[in-house]
Amino acid sequence: MQYLLIIATIGGLLFGYGTGVISGAMLFINESFHLHTMATEITVASVVLGAVIGALVNGKICELYGRRYALFFAGTCFTIGSICCAIAPNITILIIARIIVGFAVGISSFSGPLYISELAHAKHRGALVTVNTMTITGGIVLAYVVNYLLAYAHNWRLMFGLGAIPGAILAIGMLFLPQSPRWLVTKGFTDKAFRVLQKLRTNYSLAAINNELEQIKAMATMQLTKHRLFDPALKPVLIAGFGLAAIQQLGGANMVLYYAPIVFQKAGLGSTFAQLVATIGIGTINFLMTVLAIWLVDKLGRRQLLLGGLIAMAITLGTLGFALLYTAQIIAIISLFTYISAFAVSTGCLFWLIIAEIFPLNVRGKAMSLAAAINWFTNLLLSATFLTLVKFIHITGAFWLFATFNLLSFIFCYFLIPETKGVSLEQIEENLRAGKPARKLGL
Ligand code: BGC
């Protein structure tokens, strides 16, 4: 399982690196291609645009060819995209190459959690899926550090090109990993699914493995939700999953991550060097708190982390707004670091985990695909409008707006998000079939 986890979570690394590298690269791309504001915005947004497309297309890929080949495909596209970015002779090719990178990021963003959740045992599922978010945050830090190291040489081509290495490792590694046993059952390969489970559950008895397989088979053969995503019976989980997709972005964390140097500048940190170091600091805290979440998620459960995190995010954005208004540097920095910590242990990792848990097997790929696409689309919308928003309502107003979103999200999650800690995916599905309300699906 360890080997499998390492390879499967490289998808997260691509996600983090692919989205994190642009902030540093952009400083120097301008020197090579002399871009107008609009071209700059399009170059920045191209990865997120590619990710929306990748997430949408990937639902089909996951259903038809399985989660494993989806990740293989993501690794291949990421490698090709990264190389094309590195050698792009003009801005048009660079934008196309960044869209290809984004396409791979969109695919890997939910194939990883999906694949891992279907291979993991219920007891450790939360922790194992959260390892994927840990590699996302690790990828973001890695990108910040690479940006920093290559900044002296203004080498934006190498910043992009280095992405080819993890891309190739993912593509080659996936060729040696098994298909998801749950996907195999939906395709009628029950024997193969049994053999995969046997390999994965080395510490479990044959009876326990057979029992797990029987439960998967029972769910896979139920006709109620067979390939029909918008079945009324699925309404509670669709509202929960799609709502959470928007909530994760509307909480504002990506705006803090993408525009961190600007936020630090407004907080009164004068030198570019100080801003860059502080940005690496934010990325590192995000990473470390996600590591803590791996430990907490199967102990405290999803709801406590989610609800506590949303309240903490609302409060810290509130104080951050005040601090920026009065240029209170220390309060601004403490608020920012506390805010990103709260995000990391709550919506940052729980969105990807919960959407890998609540949807029934027969529509899981499609439903996750739509949830991921909504997440990426909201991200695109915010990234494209954030600076304009700041122009109109000042950065304080923007952060207070995000604080309000977090409070509203608390109410949404309190009533509509179930506790899924330690519950098997099949039990969650059975509760859904029995007509239990969203909040009670894990009971
Ligand atoms: C992504 C989130 C992810 C988070 C991890 C963000 O950039 O948009 O989906 O969970 O990074 O910190």
Side-chain angles (χ1 to χ4, degrees):
M1 191 78 193
Q2 282 88 339
Y3 165 69
L4 188 148
L5 202 61
I6 292 170
I7 298 295
T9 55
I10 289 181
L13 197 80
L14 305 189
F15 179 161
Y17 192 85
T19 51
V21 75
I22 191 70
S23 62
M26 217 51 230
L27 299 171
F28 310 112
I29 292 173
N30 247 322
E31 290 172 2
S32 306
F33 297 139
H34 311 291
L35 305 178
H36 303 295
T37 316
M38 190 144 135
T40 308
E41 276 170 1
I42 295 174
T43 315
V44 173
S46 52
V47 156
V48 186
L49 177 68
V52 176
I53 303 168
L56 279 175
V57 172
N58 192 33
K60 260 269 168 301
I61 301 176
C62 276
E63 298 286 0
L64 288 179
Y65 305 106
R67 293 62 167 131
R68 176 189 173 211
Y69 284 113
L71 281 167
F72 166 78
F73 188 50
T76 311
C77 290
F78 199 88
T79 310
I80 296 172
S82 299
I83 295 171
C84 292
C85 283
I87 58 172
N90 56 45
I91 191 66
T92 313
I93 303 283
L94 181 64
I95 288 173
I96 294 171
R98 287 290 287 164
I99 292 177
I100 297 174
V101 165
F103 184 73
V105 167
I107 293 179
S108 72
S109 66
F110 76 88
S111 305
L114 173 59
Y115 181 68
I116 300 164
S117 76
E118 291 191 345
L119 270 109
H121 192 277
K123 259 202 296 191
H124 312 292
R125 192 181 57 235
L128 293 178
V129 176
T130 307
V131 171
N132 192 68
T133 315
M134 183 192 85
T135 58
I136 300 177
T137 54
I140 297 175
V141 179
L142 186 69
Y144 288 167
V145 173
V146 167
N147 285 349
Y148 181 76
L149 294 178
L150 295 178
Y152 77 96
H154 295 205
N155 198 343
W156 60 267
R157 293 186 183 274
L158 193 56
M159 291 177 190
F160 286 135
L162 285 175
I165 300 173
I169 296 177
L170 178 66
I172 296 168
M174 285 317 291
L175 293 175
F176 297 96
L177 298 192
Q179 284 280 16
S180 146
R182 287 171 166 86
W183 178 82
L184 284 170
V185 169
T186 62
K187 296 288 161 190
F189 300 118
T190 317
D191 291 349
K192 272 193 192 163
F194 177 76
R195 284 199 295 277
V196 173
L197 279 175
Q198 231 180 354
K199 270 197 199 136
L200 292 171
R201 310 275 184 263
T202 38
N203 296 329
Y204 290 79
S205 68
L206 205 61
I209 295 173
N210 268 321
N211 187 28
E212 191 175 349
L213 186 64
E214 283 313 313
Q215 279 189 32
I216 299 174
K217 269 163 55 185
M219 286 304 142
T221 45
M222 292 248 190
Q223 292 303 306
L224 173 67
T225 59
K226 191 116 189 149
H227 306 308
R228 281 194 292 138
L229 182 56
F230 292 105
D231 192 299
L234 301 187
K235 212 161 120 192
V237 283
L238 294 183
I239 293 175
F242 297 166
L244 211 50
I247 282 171
Q248 195 217 39
Q249 294 298 324
L250 292 174
N254 270 332
M255 295 313 100
V256 168
L257 287 169
Y258 295 174
Y259 293 100
I262 298 179
V263 177
F264 284 121
Q265 190 190 24
K266 293 212 189 273
L269 278 190
S271 77
T272 314
F273 176 75
Q275 289 160 18
L276 274 179
V277 171
T279 303
I280 295 180
I282 279 282
T284 309
I285 291 288
N286 189 23
F287 173 74
L288 292 176
M289 292 305 284
T290 310
V291 175
L292 181 69
I294 295 177
W295 183 68
L296 291 177
V297 75
D298 287 322
K299 291 197 171 55
L300 290 184
R302 289 44 162 168
R303 275 178 63 88
Q304 276 198 50
L305 286 176
L306 188 62
L307 297 173
L310 283 167
I311 288 289
M313 284 163 76
I315 295 173
T316 47
L317 279 177
T319 52
L320 179 62
F322 273 114
L324 291 175
L325 205 55
Y326 298 105
T327 334
Q329 212 179 84
I330 300 291
I331 299 180
I333 289 173
I334 294 176
S335 305
L336 208 55
F337 277 78
T338 322
Y339 164 76
I340 216 69
S341 305
F343 165 74
V345 297
S346 62
T347 53
C349 61
L350 291 172
F351 161 63
W352 297 109
L353 173 59
I354 292 172
I355 63 163
E357 299 183 320
I358 57 176
F359 299 121
L361 179 58
N362 283 328
V363 294
R364 194 170 291 146
K366 278 189 204 132
M368 281 186 78
S369 148
L370 217 55
I374 292 171
N375 183 267
W376 282 111
F377 185 71
T378 319
N379 184 339
L380 182 64
L381 222 60
L382 288 184
S383 330
T385 54
F386 183 67
L387 290 179
T388 315
L389 191 71
V390 168
K391 219 192 262 169
F392 280 106
I393 60 172
H394 190 260
I395 196 152
T396 295
F399 285 151
W400 284 349
L401 188 65
F402 291 139
T404 314
F405 281 142
N406 283 312
L407 285 181
L408 295 174
S409 303
F410 175 89
I411 300 171
F412 178 96
C413 293
Y414 182 84
F415 288 107
L416 297 174
I417 301 295
E419 179 54 76
T420 46
K421 174 182 101 174
V423 191
S424 76
L425 298 180
E426 287 68 35
Q427 183 64 53
I428 298 170
E429 186 164 345
E430 211 169 294
N431 290 342
L432 184 66
R433 270 174 219 289
K436 285 194 180 178
R439 206 184 132 176
K440 305 240 158 82
L441 287 177
L443 299 178

